[in-house]
Amino acid sequence: MENSNTDFPPFEDCAKRLRAIDDVMDILSGKWKISILARLLYKPMRYSELLKHVNGISGKMLSRELQEFETNGIIDRKVASTKPLAVSYEVTSYGMSLKILTDSIADWGLQHRHRIINDL
């Protein structure tokens, strides 16, 4: 049955977009992913810096999230041959394409915070 409302795209187009959203959510879902990514989009950071700046995350969870980002090509793990070894994480050029998403989330968050504070 065809939708007669011309304001809506065909169902097939919607289904493709919804699958794409599901794909993004598979990569970015969870309590910590966006927080980690947002920090790394501003500057490369060492593991200990991330652990300090992502409030409440455990070391085990941070390691897992970083590994998943690395597997998906979002970040690179850089190991400097110093003593002791210095490991840092930075966003890849592919991962930088997510900056527009984190910027949009930040903008919405600022608007929401302003709305809540002003409505009190």
Side-chain angles (χ1 to χ4, degrees), residues 59-112:
K60 184 177 180 178
M61 181 58 73
L62 178 58
S63 294
R64 183 181 308 153
E65 302 289 50
L66 290 169
Q67 187 174 22
E68 287 180 21
F69 273 146
E70 193 175 2
T71 299
N72 283 294
I74 307 299
I75 65 168
D76 277 333
R77 181 177 184 262
K78 303 286 186 182
V79 181
S81 56
T82 59
K83 289 192 180 184
L85 288 178
V87 178
S88 65
Y89 298 88
E90 64 183 50
V91 176
T92 63
S93 57
Y94 176 64
M96 286 300 286
S97 65
L98 292 166
K99 186 158 181 4
I100 192 168
L101 179 65
T102 59
D103 287 347
S104 293
I105 291 170
D107 290 343
W108 188 90
L110 290 168
Q111 291 171 11
H112 179 70

Side-chain angles (χ1 to χ4, degrees), residues 1-2 4-5 8-9 22 34 38-39 41 44 49-50 53-54 64 66 69 71-72 77 89 98 101 108 110 115 118:
M1 185 169 179
E2 189 86 17
S4 62
N5 187 337
F8 295 104
D22 291 343
I34 298 293
R39 283 158 178 80
L41 282 164
E49 287 179 282
L50 284 166
H53 291 289
V54 180
R64 183 181 308 153
L66 290 169
F69 273 146
T71 299
N72 283 294
R77 181 177 184 262
Y89 298 88
L98 292 166
L101 179 65
W108 188 90
L110 290 168
R115 179 175 179 248
N118 288 334

Side-chain angles (χ1 to χ4, degrees), residues 22-69:
D22 291 343
D23 292 344
V24 171
M25 292 307 297
D26 284 343
I27 294 168
L28 298 179
S29 67
K31 184 176 180 179
W32 309 108
K33 289 270 180 69
I34 298 293
S35 294
I36 294 165
L37 179 62
R39 283 158 178 80
L40 291 175
L41 282 164
Y42 284 104
K43 70 174 188 169
M45 297 178 88
R46 295 180 67 173
Y47 178 87
S48 59
E49 287 179 282
L50 284 166
L51 197 55
K52 177 181 172 185
H53 291 289
V54 180
N55 296 328
I57 194 168
S58 70
K60 184 177 180 178
M61 181 58 73
L62 178 58
S63 294
R64 183 181 308 153
E65 302 289 50
L66 290 169
Q67 187 174 22
E68 287 180 21
F69 273 146

